[in-house]
Amino acid sequence: MCGRYATTRSAGDLSALFESYDETGGAVGPDFNVAPTDPVPLVRLAPEGHRTLSVGRWGLVPHWSRSATGAARMINARAETIATSRAYAPSFARRRCLVPAEGWYEWVREAGGRRQPYYMTPADGSVLAFAGIWSVWEAAGRALLTFSVLTTAAVGELAEVHDRMPLLLPRDRWATWLGPTEEPAALLVPPPADWLAGLEIRPVSPAVGDVRNDGPGLTVRVPLAREEADSELTLF
């Protein structure tokens, strides 16, 4: 799954990178520890056909839902079942979006029960785009834009960290994902192995496990416990 990620670029930077019109009103700020139900940027197509940068809440609420309280359980949609899911299929068919990110976090349980977080991010510092779907939920006179991130089976070295990963979209797939298609299954193909090889799998501080923590320090590489032990041995 993808349960935490980082999105740190400004609305201006994202608008330029995704060639989109900014409707956020400046409500985009760096967040190095995005958690379920947080408001974050996404890119979708406006009715007129141009790309729009919006702010949506992470955790899709279907338009027919009586309440938004279950959103935290709907942050991810499995690519394998999205086309047939009552909650996700309508959005997959008509309301797809790009979710900008610098990287995402996963945890690995190591010997002794310790959980080591890792941060997956492009080694060259480029932006990531998660495949997403969106919906608008209306109640009590307000409209809430919400979204989910698609996940798929992890590929290559990423599978050593977790068996799932976000469905990542290289730049040459952005337009296809956002636009109409007669072959929806083709949208769900993972990126090629050579593109995924450009991702760095970086051990980071356990501080990211607390949603109250934020800041660039969360994405800084830290030595693994076994690396620290090896370093101490070389001193004697």
Side-chain angles (χ1 to χ4, degrees):
M1 64 175 293
C2 172
R4 298 282 182 82
Y5 72 94
T7 179
T8 66
R9 300 177 194 250
S10 68
D13 287 344
L14 292 174
S15 294
L17 284 167
F18 288 91
E19 300 176 339
S20 57
Y21 173 78
D22 180 13
E23 68 169 19
T24 67
V28 171
D31 192 340
F32 291 85
N33 199 3
V34 177
T37 73
D38 282 353
V40 283
L42 59 87
V43 178
R44 54 185 179 147
L45 284 186
E48 298 79 12
H50 61 264
R51 295 180 188 177
T52 299
L53 180 70
S54 308
V55 173
R57 199 176 79 165
W58 189 19
L60 188 132
V61 181
H63 70 88
W64 42 260
S65 180
R66 294 182 179 180
S67 168
T69 57
R73 298 191 301 272
M74 299 186 69
I75 59 171
N76 294 155
R78 294 177 67 91
E80 295 86 347
T81 57
I82 193 168
T84 56
S85 166
R86 176 172 177 257
Y88 298 126
S91 288
F92 175 58
R94 299 184 297 275
R95 297 184 292 273
R96 295 184 295 273
C97 63
L98 305 172
V99 181
E102 264 59 64
W104 77 99
Y105 303 95
E106 293 291 1
W107 281 257
V108 174
R109 189 171 296 280
E110 299 189 335
R114 180 176 182 271
R115 296 176 73 238
Q116 171 62 53
Y118 287 84
Y119 181 58
M120 278 61 66
T121 187
D124 63 2
S126 58
V127 70
L128 288 175
F130 299 157
I133 56 173
W134 62 272
S135 183
V136 173
W137 183 73
E138 298 186 21
R142 67 187 182 110
L144 182 65
L145 175 61
T146 65
F147 73 96
S148 292
V149 171
L150 273 70
T151 66
T152 188
V155 178
E157 293 185 358
L158 294 174
E160 299 177 14
V161 178
H162 199 279
D163 61 352
R164 305 291 294 178
M165 70 178 192
L167 179 58
L168 303 167
L169 299 173
R171 183 179 292 270
D172 61 5
R173 292 180 59 185
W174 292 357
T176 303
W177 179 259
L178 290 175
T181 181
E182 296 181 358
E183 298 183 21
L187 299 174
L188 302 174
V189 177
D194 59 344
W195 187 87
L196 287 171
L199 296 178
E200 176 188 355
I201 302 175
R202 180 189 304 170
V204 294
S205 167
V208 72
D210 188 334
V211 296
R212 295 170 296 182
N213 294 329
D214 198 358
L218 297 180
T219 66
V220 173
R221 173 181 286 274
V222 300
L224 295 171
R226 58 179 177 271
E227 294 174 344
E228 290 179 329
D230 291 343
S231 175
E232 291 175 0
L233 288 173
T234 62
L235 297 178
F236 302 96

